[in-house]
Amino acid sequence: MSDKVEIYTDGACKGNPGPGGWGALLVCQGVERELWGGEAETTNNRMELTAAIRALAELKRPCEVHLTTDSEYVMRGILEWLPNWKKRGWKTAARQPVKNADLWQQLDEQVGRHRVTWGWVRGHTGHPGNERADLLANRGVAAARAQKKHGV
């Protein structure tokens, strides 16, 4: 694993649920790549997860990744809750189905392809990578709203 990649992700939702977007900034050897997308009806947590999944999926070979998010949900899920969810067959401690299990499973699969370390930053505090990811997520929201408006 020679490639070192910095990834910054963010999700956004106007209404929860409502039109949402995700954004990711990938930086490798000084080269930047911006990714974004959106969904007409989704939640903020789903967009936060989607940003991380799509960013990791974009990497064509195993990499050493430092992924920075402003989502406590993603951080706690990946670092604290996921191992037990898997042991319990995707059930919570209260034996309820895990919310967004489809996306958590996809994220788990993508993380397994790389060596990922995780970082958390408080959103909207001027962190350059997080601010860029936020702009991209909002671009995704705008695209989702336009699709919804035009019935696409």
Side-chain angles (χ1 to χ4, degrees):
M1 287 197 209
S2 58
D3 288 333
K4 292 187 179 190
V5 181
E6 288 282 333
I7 297 177
Y8 303 91
T9 64
D10 200 14
C13 212
K14 304 304 178 197
N16 206 13
W22 60 270
L25 173 66
L26 289 72
V27 183
C28 182
Q29 298 174 351
V31 177
E32 296 182 350
R33 176 107 192 255
E34 295 180 335
L35 306 173
W36 69 89
E39 294 180 19
E41 192 69 16
T42 189
T43 66
N44 191 63
N45 284 342
R46 288 189 69 80
M47 292 294 90
E48 295 281 4
L49 286 165
T50 299
I53 292 162
R54 297 292 293 269
L56 291 168
E58 192 70 15
L59 304 174
K60 302 301 180 212
R61 59 185 171 274
C63 297
E64 200 170 309
V65 176
H66 185 77
L67 193 150
T68 301
T69 178
D70 65 3
S71 171
E72 291 185 50
Y73 175 69
V74 170
M75 284 295 292
R76 294 196 64 202
I78 201 74
L79 297 176
E80 298 175 30
W81 306 327
L82 189 78
N84 288 323
W85 288 341
K86 288 168 70 172
K87 284 181 200 165
R88 290 190 293 258
W90 297 97
K91 301 273 192 237
T92 65
R95 294 191 175 85
Q96 297 300 308
V98 170
K99 287 183 180 164
N100 304 312
D102 58 329
L103 295 178
W104 284 113
Q105 290 165 0
Q106 290 177 47
L107 182 57
D108 186 42
E109 181 181 328
Q110 290 303 322
V111 167
R113 297 177 49 233
H114 307 285
R115 189 167 357 143
V116 181
T117 57
W118 295 85
W120 180 83
V121 295
R122 185 172 304 282
H124 312 290
T125 57
H127 183 284
N130 180 253
E131 294 295 334
R132 292 269 303 277
D134 180 65
L135 288 171
L136 294 167
N138 280 296
R139 190 180 292 174
V141 172
R145 281 180 161 165
Q147 286 178 341
K148 193 173 185 178
K149 183 177 176 183
H150 296 100
V152 178

